[in-house]
Amino acid sequence: MSDFDLKISGGTVANSAETFNADIGVKDGKIIAIAKSLGSADRVIDAGGKYVLPGGIEAHCHIEQESSSGLMTSDDYYSGSVSAAFGGNTCIVPFAAQHRGQSLAEVLETYHGRAAPKSVIDYSFHLIISDPTDDVLHRELPKAIADGITSFKIYMTYDRLIVDDGQMLDILAVAKKNGALTMIHAENHAMIKWMSDKLVDGGHGAPKYHALSHPRTAESEAINRAISLAGFLDAPILIVHVSSEAGARIIAKARYDGRKVFGETCPQYMFLNMEQMDLPGMHGAKLCCSPPLRDRASQEEIWRCLQNGTFQVYSSDHAPYRFDGTGKLHAGPEPDFPKIANGLPGIEMRLPLLFSEGFVKGRISLNHFVALAATNVSKIYGMDHCKGSITEGKDADIAIWDPQVTRVVTAADMHDNMEYTPYEGMEVTGWPTIVIQRGTVVVENNELKAGRGDGAFVPRKTIDCTGMPGRLAPELNPSLNFGVDFGL
Ligand code: DUC
Ligand code: ZN
Ligand code: ZN
C-alpha cells in the first residue's frame, strides 16, 4: 500500500510567509506530510519548474444571485465554480442575498439548494442584509453566524438595498456581539442620485457617464461614515471594492489608528480605466460597475495601495451580466446608464492577472501573491482552520502554477457563461495548470475533472481581530458612562 493518495513532488512551494522546495503528501483529502523527499503514492504529480501554491479563495463574487430588481446573474453555481477553478481557485464565497420581506432562513435554504448540487469546488456564503427587522437582527442573524455564515454585506446605496445609519448601527452591533464581520458597499446614495439625475436630464445617458455619476467623493464620504459608525461600536468591518486613492487613504489611516477595518480592491480598478468606456453604441455598458472605473492615475494608486498592504483582500467582484436583454440591456436596447445592470465578469482572470502583472513583473512577491490569492481571506473570513495555506493538517487545496505558460486573454477561452471579458487581448504570463481540491484533481490539461456537486459547504469560524486594538466609544463604555449597558 502506498504512503499517500497523492504526492506532488519537486515543486517550489510558497505560502504567504515562506518559500521552499519540498514534496507534498496527501491522504484522505488532507496535507499530511511536507518534506524534501516523501515515499510512495498512488499518484505522483511532477511539479518540477512549477510553483505549488494554496488554491485561491475567491471571496467576493455574485453567482446565481438575483439583483434587487430581479435580474439573475448569467453564471449559476456550475459555470461560476468551473470558471473559478480554471482560474486557480478551490473555494468561492458568493453572496446569499436577502431582498426586502424575505427571511434569512428562506434565503439560505435557496442558496444552499443552488450551490450543493452544482458547485465543483468548496463554497461558503456571505449574507446580504437589506431588511434588518427585529427578527432578522436578534434571532436569524445569530443563528446564521452559529451555522458558519460569519460575514454579511450591507449597502449604503441602491434604492432597494440601502440601509440607513441607524440600521447600520443595529447590524454592526449584532455582528460585534456574535463575532461576525460586516462588509460594506460604501458609496453616498444622494450624491450618486444627484449626479445621475443631472447627467440624464442634460442628455448624457450613454454608458461612459456612469463613471461620472459615482464620484470619488461619494466613495470617500461613505467610507468615512462607515468607519465612524463601526468605530463608535468597535465593530470589525471590511470596505469592499475600493476604487479610489482617497478611499484607500481613509482605510489606511483608520488601520493606523487601530480601527478594526479591512480593505478590498478588485482587478478592474487596477487593469481597466474609464477611458475604455468611451465606445460606440452601448458597448461601454460592458464596463459599467459600481464603484466605477476611474482614470489611469487611479489605477497606479490602487496598485500602490495593494503593494503597501492597505488592501488585504483582492477579489474579482465577479457580477456577470451578458450584453443582451438578459443582462446589461434588460431595460431595453439603449437605456440610460442608471438602468444598465452593474457588474463585470472576472472570476477566472483574477489570479492570472495578479500573477502576471504583479508577481512576474516584480510589483509584488510570490508570498504576497499567495496572501492575496488565499491566505488573507482564509484568516479574515474564518476559514484558516482548513484552507489558505500549504500546511500539514489542512485541506489539500492546491494550485500548481506554470510560470512558462503565456496566454492572450479571450472570452472564448473563459469558462463562465459570458460572451465577453473586460480583459480581452491582454497577454498574461503564468497559468494555474493543475488545480486540486481536497486531494482530487479538479482541472488538468485544460480539462475539468471534477463533477457537479463535488464542492462542499465550508462553515466558517467567527472573526478573529487579534492584533487590531480598537476601543468602544467612551459613551458606550460601562466604566466611563455611569455603568449603562448598551448590550454590546
Ligand atoms: N457593484 C456591486 O455593488 N455589486 C455587483 C456588481 C457591481 O458593480
Ligand atoms: Zn458592492
Ligand atoms: Zn459585489
Side-chain angles (χ1 to χ4, degrees), residues 34 44 67 92 122 124 151 163 178 180 187 192 211 237 265 278 305 321 334 346 369 427:
I34 302 174
V44 178
S67 72
I92 48 175
D122 288 354
S124 187
S151 50
V163 288
N178 293 277
E187 286 187 291
I192 293 168
I237 55 170
T265 195
D278 193 5
C305 293
Y321 297 107
E334 287 190 10
F369 172 79
E427 189 173 314

Side-chain angles (χ1 to χ4, degrees), residues 191-246:
M191 230 180 254
I192 293 168
K193 177 147 186 357
W194 192 89
M195 285 293 279
S196 300
D197 289 349
K198 290 266 183 277
L199 284 161
V200 172
D201 291 350
H204 307 299
K208 66 183 176 191
Y209 296 108
H210 171 81
L212 303 187
S213 70
H214 290 237
R216 292 162 178 75
T217 313
E219 183 174 66
S220 51
E221 184 282 327
I223 292 177
N224 208 23
R225 183 155 39 101
I227 289 175
S228 298
L229 295 172
F232 175 63
L233 299 173
D234 191 27
I237 55 170
L238 190 152
I239 309 291
V240 293
H241 48 50
V242 177
S243 65
S244 65
E245 189 198 22

Side-chain angles (χ1 to χ4, degrees), residues 115-164:
K118 294 183 213 152
S119 189
V120 302
I121 55 174
D122 288 354
Y123 57 91
S124 187
F125 308 110
H126 311 286
L127 271 164
I128 285 174
I129 310 292
S130 65
D131 198 2
T133 62
D134 277 351
D135 192 47
V136 164
L137 288 169
H138 302 300
R139 191 182 62 79
E140 289 212 287
L141 268 181
K143 175 162 184 346
I145 296 165
D147 290 342
I149 315 276
T150 53
S151 50
F152 23 87
K153 181 176 177 188
I154 57 176
Y155 287 81
M156 298 172 79
T157 184
Y158 289 122
D159 287 332
R160 298 193 185 92
L161 294 170
I162 187 169
V163 288
D164 65 26

Side-chain angles (χ1 to χ4, degrees), residues 110-351:
T110 301
Y111 281 85
H112 276 294
R114 288 174 180 172
K118 294 183 213 152
S119 189
V120 302
I121 55 174
D122 288 354
Y123 57 91
S124 187
F125 308 110
H126 311 286
L127 271 164
I128 285 174
I129 310 292
S130 65
D131 198 2
T133 62
D134 277 351
D135 192 47
V136 164
L137 288 169
H138 302 300
R139 191 182 62 79
E140 289 212 287
L141 268 181
K143 175 162 184 346
I145 296 165
D147 290 342
I149 315 276
T150 53
S151 50
F152 23 87
K153 181 176 177 188
I154 57 176
Y155 287 81
M156 298 172 79
T157 184
Y158 289 122
D159 287 332
R160 298 193 185 92
L161 294 170
I162 187 169
V163 288
D164 65 26
D165 291 359
Q167 291 173 314
M168 281 179 73
L169 286 169
D170 284 340
I171 292 166
L172 290 163
V174 171
K176 176 190 168 68
K177 191 168 175 178
N178 293 277
L181 180 67
T182 307
M183 305 157 74
I184 304 186
H185 179 128
E187 286 187 291
N188 180 296
H189 188 61
M191 230 180 254
I192 293 168
K193 177 147 186 357
W194 192 89
M195 285 293 279
S196 300
D197 289 349
K198 290 266 183 277
L199 284 161
V200 172
D201 291 350
H204 307 299
K208 66 183 176 191
Y209 296 108
H210 171 81
L212 303 187
S213 70
H214 290 237
R216 292 162 178 75
T217 313
E219 183 174 66
S220 51
E221 184 282 327
I223 292 177
N224 208 23
R225 183 155 39 101
I227 289 175
S228 298
L229 295 172
F232 175 63
L233 299 173
D234 191 27
I237 55 170
L238 190 152
I239 309 291
V240 293
H241 48 50
V242 177
S243 65
S244 65
E245 189 198 22
R249 278 180 181 264
I250 298 167
I251 294 169
K253 159 102 175 41
R255 287 176 61 82
Y256 178 81
D257 291 342
R259 298 295 196 191
K260 296 181 173 72
V261 181
F262 300 98
E264 175 198 74
T265 195
C266 312
Q268 48 270 38
Y269 306 119
M270 296 153 61
F271 298 101
L272 304 172
N273 64 68
M274 61 191 274
E275 288 168 30
Q276 295 168 271
M277 298 177 74
D278 193 5
L279 295 172
M282 292 302 293
H283 285 274
K286 294 174 184 168
L287 297 182
C288 283
C289 61
S290 296
L293 307 182
R294 307 291 184 190
D295 59 10
R296 286 170 191 271
S298 291
Q299 287 177 261
E300 288 310 311
E301 288 157 2
I302 293 297
W303 263 109
R304 194 160 44 77
C305 293
L306 195 82
Q307 290 169 302
N308 72 19
T310 301
F311 301 124
Q312 302 75 45
V313 180
Y314 164 79
S315 307
S316 70
D317 197 5
H318 181 74
Y321 297 107
R322 293 172 71 95
F323 187 60
D324 60 25
T326 68
K328 288 285 178 188
L329 308 179
H330 70 105
E334 287 190 10
D336 288 332
F337 67 80
K339 296 207 170 86
I340 295 171
N342 273 210
L344 308 182
I347 201 164
E348 195 160 336
M349 287 311 305
R350 173 183 83 109
L351 294 179

